[in-house]
Amino acid sequence: MELYKIDEKGLAEAMARVMEDYRVVAPVEKGPKHVFDDIEDWSDARPMAVGTVLPPKKYAFPQRETLLRFTLTGETPEAEAVMDDTPVVMAGVHPCDIAGLRCIDHTLAGRHFDEHYGARRMNAIVFGFDCMPDEHCFCTSVGTLKAESGYDLFFTPIQTGGFVIRIGTPRGRQLFEKYFQHAEGAGVYEESLEADFRQRKAEAVTAHIDAPVDDLPEVYQESMDSEVWDKWGAVCFSCGSCSLVCPTCYCFDVQDRVSLDGSEGRRDRIWDACTLPDFATVAGGHDFRPTAPKRLIHRHNRKFNYQQERYGEPHCTGCGRCGRSCLVHINMVTVANELIAEQKGEEA
Amino acid sequence: MKPKVAFFSFTSCEGCQLALLECENELLDILGAIDVVKFREAMSETSDEYDIAFIEGSISTPHDEEKIKKIRDTAKVIVEFGACAATGGLNAMRNSMGTEEDHYEELREKVYGPVGVEHFRSTKARPVHAVVPVELTIPGCPVDRGHLLEVIEAVLVGRSPRQFDHPLCVECKLNDTVCVVEAYGQMCMGPVTRAGCDSICPNVGDACEGCRGLLPSGNFAAHQQMLEEHGNSKEEIRLRYLMFNAYPCEELEVPLP
């Protein structure tokens, strides 16, 4: 694969030109944290910032979106789908979030193709950036340290300054050729610097799951009755934060709104979360998962058991967002390790 | 035929009626869909025939009690709106400052002087639903305009309005709002408070004070312990719970530090 390199100034010039033609979003500062937001000046972007509140999935699958508009004035109601295929360049997508988008693709753009998601997703251009982990990151435990695919362009910072660029798609190549005039060819030396960065990144990860990721489905299958769930369920707020910030969660609610004169309306899709108390309540009032431990079992199994068995990769990407946002310190690594330790104890 | 709607004010600041008047872009549509027959903050004509009664304010005097029971006899639908009507609101803070038997005499004297003690009797401050059955609730201090419009829409269309049986944290996340506890260690009531205000306070960096009322499903013990871990004293936490939720704490038997 061809490698290129670019310095900070060249990148800023290229991004300024990209911004002339495209909507560009990137992590920006918000208080002491970062969020993905629209940028008009590349100097506002913090493409390597770890732990944005929401992952960039919100550009393919927005928190709230209108699916269709309808009118009720004629003899029969008429509806028209609302689609958004405006291209958006997402700059600063880390390997964990690239994996997150792939996980949602399995469900929303696989056997069942969601047209609304598909339209946005296909027009979401991924400029991946490598990053340095904080204490919540655990990409090395779930195989997301490095992005093998899923990006149009991927930027790795190197010690000599600037970035090494990899091109991941034909669309990425077109964009590269059109906007990145200041990039130069790179060779074995730059490739070693790239590997060196990734090595330092891997060494900086401090949170680790104490078992190979392929063993996790069995661990979770065997742990349905574990007391670990009761322990964490007792302190869980059922606030839904863990699910809402997750790059692989896609549960939603659908709501109709009608104008006050009853002539027209719209159908909206809004994020929902399986950890919320009212999520599994059905018509008639029965709740299939009425307690916090039952809801936690469900969420954690969705990451390391059900989805992983079905699609062949864990649906936890090690981004650490759930752990950062949980005010009572429930996180995937602690829970996994307690389940693993419990089973090792039983075997011994 | 357009439903006849009346607005009534009990113990409150009447700010929630103003919140409705502030729906400036929608007011004409609202007036096109309903027939307002009583609205003290906006009109002088009144009528005692109505289908839907919007009740603002808590029930806190013997007179309030009589009046709300009469309204119940007339109205097909009662909507309690605003924190005072929905949860007792700030008014219920006084419930622990005296006794119902002596009509909070000491407190009344402090507030109104000796003449007031003669003329104003007080009961415990209660939400409307504690005195008469109500069909719909829109909490908040003041009510959120979006939620208010959603309920009006639901009533007109003839379906149940959306329930907000989940904590405010949901809306902070949907809004990409930086958590005020995580980032600043603020004493936020969000994890145990009913959503529906679009996280208006945390969106601008302020902690939720719980004006939309405690969630029956709230994990109060864990929430209070978490607030303590962030450096708040037991007394501070107790007062924060009692600020907007003195009555819900009693209703839900919430243990306080």
Side-chain angles (χ1 to χ4, degrees), chain A residues 44 141 169 197 266 306 328:
Chain A
D44 292 333
S141 294
T169 59
F197 180 85
R266 61 173 207 269
Y306 311 144
V328 292

Side-chain angles (χ1 to χ4, degrees), chain B:
Chain B
M1 209 177 73
K2 293 198 281 186
K4 289 189 169 63
V5 179
F7 290 82
F8 295 94
S9 210
F10 287 80
T11 307
S12 66
C13 71
E14 301 197 20
C16 290
Q17 290 193 42
L18 296 181
L20 176 63
L21 290 177
E22 277 171 15
C23 297
E24 286 157 2
N25 293 330
E26 297 84 6
L27 265 186
L28 289 178
D29 285 340
I30 295 172
L31 291 173
I34 63 173
D35 201 356
V36 180
V37 299
K38 197 188 266 292
F39 197 154
R40 191 167 86 172
E41 286 285 353
M43 57 193 265
S44 48
E45 308 86 62
T46 72
S47 159
D48 289 324
E49 283 177 37
Y50 46 84
D51 307 300
I52 302 169
F54 275 76
I55 311 294
E56 171 196 55
S58 68
I59 309 302
S60 70
T61 68
H63 176 244
D64 281 354
E65 228 174 286
E66 272 171 47
K67 191 170 136 193
I68 191 67
K69 283 174 181 164
K70 274 189 192 148
I71 293 170
R72 180 68 277 184
D73 288 341
T74 308
K76 295 188 189 87
V77 173
I78 285 187
V79 185
E80 50 177 12
F81 84 122
C84 301
T87 63
L90 295 173
N91 309 328
M93 273 195 284
R94 74 122 181 268
N95 291 355
S96 60
M97 300 177 186
T99 68
E100 203 164 12
E101 286 70 44
D102 69 7
H103 289 273
Y104 300 89
E105 191 170 332
E106 205 180 317
L107 199 58
R108 276 187 299 130
E109 184 160 4
K110 213 165 160 183
V111 178
Y112 300 113
V115 183
V117 176
E118 286 301 309
H119 290 90
F120 303 113
R121 315 243 86 189
S122 275
T123 58
K124 194 158 131 182
R126 285 156 297 169
V128 177
H129 66 256
V131 183
V132 295
V134 307
E135 279 73 25
L136 295 166
T137 299
I138 313 171
C141 181
V143 287
D144 174 75
R145 268 180 276 168
H147 189 194
L148 181 60
L149 288 168
E150 225 179 290
V151 172
I152 292 173
E153 173 192 318
V155 170
L156 290 174
V157 174
R159 66 159 186 229
S160 304
R162 181 153 60 118
Q163 296 296 307
F164 293 92
D165 290 332
H166 50 258
L168 186 65
C169 302
V170 171
E171 286 167 359
C172 278
K173 295 301 171 295
L174 293 186
N175 288 323
D176 233 331
T177 293
V178 172
C179 176
V180 297
V181 181
E182 187 193 343
Y184 311 111
Q186 288 191 25
M187 192 161 46
C188 187
M189 291 294 285
V192 291
T193 297
R194 195 179 290 281
C197 59
D198 204 26
S199 60
I200 183 170
C201 295
N203 291 350
V204 294
D206 282 336
C208 167
E209 293 179 334
C211 76
R212 287 180 54 88
L214 297 178
L215 271 176
S217 61
N219 191 339
F220 306 112
H223 177 243
Q224 290 165 10
Q225 195 187 331
M226 180 278 292
L227 292 180
E228 254 189 276
E229 276 172 26
H230 281 88
N232 303 289
S233 71
K234 284 185 160 59
E235 181 62 4
E236 284 169 332
I237 296 166
R238 201 177 71 85
L239 291 175
R240 171 119 320 187
Y241 262 74
L242 290 176
M243 183 177 175
F244 272 106
N245 286 288
Y247 193 88
C249 280
E250 199 182 319
E251 205 175 23
L252 301 171
E253 296 177 7
V254 175
L256 290 173

Side-chain angles (χ1 to χ4, degrees), chain A residues 277-290:
Chain A
D278 49 355
F279 181 83
T281 304
V282 294
H286 182 71
D287 188 347
F288 284 92
R289 289 190 286 274

Side-chain angles (χ1 to χ4, degrees), chain A residues 30 32-33 35 53-54 58 63-64 234-237 239 241 245 255-258 260 276-277 324 327 329, chain B residues 30 150 153 159 162 165-167 169-170 173-176 178 182-184 191 198 219 222-223 226 229:
Chain A
K30 188 171 186 181
K33 300 219 20 157
V35 295
V53 177
L54 293 179
K58 68 179 180 177
Q63 303 95 303
R64 308 172 178 90
V235 295
C236 175
F237 294 161
C239 70
S241 293
V245 300
Q255 291 157 5
D256 285 356
R257 296 297 305 268
V258 182
L260 291 175
L276 293 174
R324 284 183 204 98
L327 296 174
H329 320 297
Chain B
I30 295 172
E150 225 179 290
E153 173 192 318
R159 66 159 186 229
R162 181 153 60 118
D165 290 332
H166 50 258
C169 302
V170 171
K173 295 301 171 295
L174 293 186
N175 288 323
D176 233 331
V178 172
E182 187 193 343
Y184 311 111
D198 204 26
N219 191 339
H223 177 243
M226 180 278 292
E229 276 172 26

